[in-house]
Amino acid sequence: MTFLHPVSDLPLSHLHPGTASMPRANLSAVSDFILIGFSTFPHLQLMFFLLFLLMYLFTLLGNLLIMTTIWGERSLHTPMYLLLCALSISEILYTFTIIPRMLADLLSTHRSITFVACASQMFFSFTFGFTHSFLLTVMGYDRYVAICHPLRYNVLMSPRGCACLVAWSWAGGSVMGLVVTAAIFHLTFCGPNEVHHFACHVPPLLTLACGNNVPGVALGVSLVCITALLGCCLLILLSYASIIATILRIPSAEGRHKAFSTCASHLTVVVVHYSFASVVYLKSKGPQGLEGDTLMGITYTVLTPFLSPIIFSLRNKELKNAMKRTFLSNL
């Protein structure tokens, strides 16, 4: 998943009673944070830098190739591919929010980030991350309409309707980003100011907050995020349950294969997206959780965006052939 910030597993034991009950006048406000990131792996930082840089450049190149192919091929000017183009845009923006800063910190000993910059990073990462999830849900609905209600497809997925669904996805992502960021940065942060992550991640920031309202905020943010993500997952599952039921009723094997092939790339990305998400959310918290959280964060900030354009390019025959026509013809 591209962006998931699990907060439900945050231990509330970090709230020392003495700290929580201290008057606000005695609390020193934090003006900036230090991103610890991969400094706990000093001998591996150069290797991490080269690996993540290559994966990031490949992610950018893959998504740009997809967007260029879709816009250049008139045969791909359909709702399914326009949604894929919007998904690539959200993925580029999401990775741009986190990875360049992470790469710079791998080569630097100065890893401080201002309060405002940290809040901005959290807002944009949640905005683009949830937009990505909402767009995956819309793409599932698109495949549901195309296979289960093909005669109504042009009406239900008209250009205007498709544009509205994309706009609502971006609006929903923005609302989620605003709600989560406002909730977290409304808290009071006390010393120390070391964030044990390579980005402004919710759980390590909550451990730096003080006050009696921290457990309530942690629970509220957790419920909002999990509800939104499980809602997306449930809608996708319902869409594919109907799709599979419809495909099984197709008499010919060739017809079933053709119908399912239009969903294969999207379904594969959804499985990868939510598999990594479930690992991040459901993993147990051990005593060495800080290093584990940092490494686990790579799955949804680097690995999932890296795999997504590969899957769409290789699993979608129409897009793959269009790429060959677009780029190989110019060589």
Side-chain angles (χ1 to χ4, degrees):
M1 166 162 327
T2 327
F3 64 95
L4 298 171
H5 299 281
V7 296
S8 57
D9 55 359
L10 178 72
L12 301 182
S13 57
H14 75 277
L15 294 173
H16 303 291
T19 304
S21 61
M22 287 172 63
R24 283 183 177 264
N26 294 334
L27 299 177
S28 57
V30 171
S31 59
D32 61 359
F33 298 99
I34 298 174
L35 299 175
I36 299 299
F38 296 95
S39 60
T40 51
F41 308 97
H43 303 298
L44 299 175
Q45 290 192 57
L46 181 58
M47 185 192 74
F48 282 150
F49 173 81
L50 295 174
L51 176 63
F52 298 155
L53 176 62
L54 289 175
M55 294 177 73
Y56 177 55
L57 292 177
F58 191 92
T59 301
L60 290 179
L61 178 61
N63 282 297
L64 289 173
L65 287 176
I66 290 174
M67 292 166 58
T68 303
T69 302
I70 292 173
W71 285 113
E73 282 282 330
R74 294 189 62 85
S75 62
L76 299 183
H77 290 184
T78 62
M80 181 175 74
Y81 291 106
L82 293 178
L83 289 171
L84 176 56
C85 194
L87 190 77
S88 293
I89 293 173
S90 71
E91 203 155 68
I92 288 174
L93 293 174
Y94 173 73
T95 54
F96 181 75
T97 301
I98 297 177
I99 298 180
R101 167 82 203 202
M102 180 185 71
L103 292 174
D105 286 344
L106 281 169
L107 297 181
S108 173
T109 56
H110 180 73
R111 300 184 179 91
S112 66
I113 182 171
T114 65
F115 190 89
V116 173
C118 189
S120 298
Q121 186 187 65
M122 180 177 289
F123 168 74
F124 287 116
S125 65
F126 267 90
T127 294
F128 301 138
F130 271 102
T131 297
H132 190 273
S133 287
F134 295 151
L135 286 171
L136 282 176
T137 307
V138 172
M139 292 175 75
Y141 171 73
D142 171 76
R143 292 299 82 207
Y144 160 76
V145 174
I147 294 175
C148 300
H149 303 284
L151 298 179
R152 301 177 60 194
Y153 184 78
N154 289 333
V155 176
L156 295 176
M157 292 302 296
S158 64
R160 179 184 177 88
C162 184
C164 287
L165 289 172
V166 171
W168 277 111
S169 297
W170 282 96
S174 300
V175 170
M176 291 297 298
L178 185 62
V179 168
V180 173
T181 305
I184 296 300
F185 284 89
H186 182 71
L187 297 170
T188 300
F189 292 93
C190 315
N193 63 342
E194 294 182 345
V195 179
H196 288 272
H197 209 270
F198 54 79
C200 289
H201 190 54
V202 172
L205 280 174
L206 284 173
T207 62
L208 304 181
C210 48
N212 295 321
N213 60 337
V214 176
V217 171
L219 179 61
V221 169
S222 175
L223 289 176
V224 168
C225 293
I226 291 177
T227 300
L229 292 172
L230 287 182
C232 291
C233 186
L234 178 61
L235 290 174
I236 293 173
L237 288 175
L238 290 174
S239 296
Y240 275 100
S242 299
I243 288 171
I244 292 172
T246 301
I247 290 177
L248 292 177
R249 289 197 295 268
I250 298 176
S252 68
E254 183 181 355
R256 290 193 296 269
H257 179 267
K258 184 177 180 181
F260 186 75
S261 65
T262 63
C263 309
S265 58
H266 173 259
L267 182 59
T268 305
V269 168
V270 168
V271 170
V272 170
H273 181 86
Y274 282 99
S275 296
F276 284 133
S278 62
V279 169
V280 171
Y281 268 89
L282 301 178
K283 73 182 183 68
S284 60
K285 300 292 287 186
Q288 303 300 323
L290 297 179
E291 290 81 1
D293 285 347
T294 300
L295 294 176
M296 193 64 67
I298 295 301
T299 61
Y300 56 83
T301 55
V302 180
L303 185 56
T304 302
F306 170 77
L307 293 175
S308 182
I310 297 176
I311 294 170
F312 277 116
S313 300
L314 297 181
R315 299 282 296 176
N316 189 305
K317 186 176 180 180
E318 192 176 5
L319 179 62
K320 184 165 60 174
N321 291 336
M323 283 183 169
K324 290 178 181 177
R325 288 195 304 269
T326 302
F327 297 102
L328 294 183
S329 62
N330 296 326
L331 295 178

